[in-house]
Amino acid sequence: MVIEIISPNTIKVVLDKEDMSSYNLSFDELDRSSPETKNLLIDLIENIKNEKDIDISNDRLFVEAFPKSDGGCLLYLSMLNAPSKNTAEKSNSLYNSIICSVNSPDILIKISDKLFSMFNHILHDSELYYLEGNFILILHTFKKADKRIRTFLSEFCEITGDDDIDLYTVREYFNCIFPVNAIEEINKKTYHFFKK
């Protein structure tokens, strides 16, 4: 079992096949009404408290589960009533993230070119991922420019998310092409990958 704090209100837990077996569970058997799943969650909360010194036993939790190829499971535990300081931290942040899905290399190049020429001065950073014919572009924008960029993107692609769970899901399951400066790298066209 591996526990990782990925944001002020989200905890990632990686369980391998042996962890699941010790609770007589498989991914398909996870169900909040089953005693085995309840035992797993109770132990997780206790382990998080012991390992990370974070007590989430009184928080309302939203749990997302994803299967792993080794028979294990990936869990994201989000605290729905996180302390108000977390909300304040988020609202004081200068940046937002926008996740969009593009299913054509040509459209990706077109979007990147326009983003670079029109919005480069208000883009903080960008990432690019790929899986099964879909490109996922993550844009980190200055908060004040968020609406303008979303309006532009909605003409060319589908905006699929913007929160921490969405970001970490993409980073976990999609193949990373450019972890930073993706817009600049795409515009350089240094990879023949985009010319196919």
Side-chain angles (χ1 to χ4, degrees), residues 5-193:
I5 309 302
I6 61 174
S7 83
N9 67 336
T10 305
I11 298 169
K12 172 182 167 182
V13 180
V14 182
L15 302 170
D16 61 23
K17 186 176 182 179
E18 289 73 26
D19 293 324
M20 299 293 284
S21 295
S22 68
Y23 290 94
N24 295 316
L25 278 172
S26 67
F27 175 78
D28 293 330
E29 295 169 324
L30 287 173
D31 183 333
R32 66 181 179 180
S33 63
S34 80
E36 292 83 4
T37 302
K38 287 179 181 177
N39 288 336
L40 170 63
L41 290 174
I42 289 168
D43 285 356
L44 280 180
I45 290 168
E46 188 65 27
N47 287 342
I48 289 167
K49 183 177 180 180
N50 293 336
E51 288 186 30
K52 303 296 183 181
D53 197 27
I54 297 174
D55 186 358
I56 60 172
S57 59
N58 294 319
D59 286 300
R60 288 178 57 228
L61 295 177
F62 175 70
V63 181
E64 283 192 298
F66 302 92
K68 292 178 71 232
S69 59
D70 65 359
C73 181
L74 180 65
L75 299 175
Y76 288 99
L77 284 68
S78 297
M79 291 159 272
L80 299 179
N81 54 339
S84 58
K85 67 176 184 177
N86 293 338
T87 305
E89 285 171 5
K90 187 168 184 178
S91 64
N92 289 335
S93 171
L94 292 173
Y95 308 109
N96 276 349
S97 296
I98 304 171
I99 304 171
C100 52
S101 176
V102 183
N103 57 16
S104 160
D106 293 333
I107 293 175
L108 178 65
I109 291 170
K110 183 176 183 178
I111 289 172
S112 299
D113 181 57
K114 288 187 177 289
L115 283 170
F116 188 79
S117 62
M118 295 168 57
F119 300 109
N120 193 46
H121 60 294
I122 51 179
L123 282 176
H124 174 62
D125 199 2
S126 53
E127 307 169 41
L128 182 66
Y129 297 82
Y130 179 82
L131 184 67
E132 296 177 355
N134 283 320
F135 295 95
I136 299 293
L137 189 60
I138 299 176
L139 303 173
H140 304 285
T141 70
F142 285 105
K143 190 174 281 188
K144 290 182 178 179
D146 186 83
K147 187 175 180 181
R148 288 172 58 200
I149 294 178
R150 284 175 182 270
T151 301
F152 162 75
L153 289 170
S154 65
E155 296 179 26
F156 299 96
C157 60
E158 178 186 359
I159 296 174
T160 59
D162 57 14
D163 65 21
D164 289 335
I165 293 177
D166 296 327
L167 288 171
Y168 288 102
T169 300
V170 169
R171 290 170 179 156
E172 185 77 26
Y173 288 100
F174 283 66
N175 300 312
C176 182
I177 299 175
F178 299 123
V180 294
N181 299 323
I183 296 301
E184 291 86 344
E185 294 296 333
I186 295 167
N187 277 290
K188 286 178 188 175
K189 297 186 176 76
T190 53
Y191 283 73
H192 66 84
F193 179 76

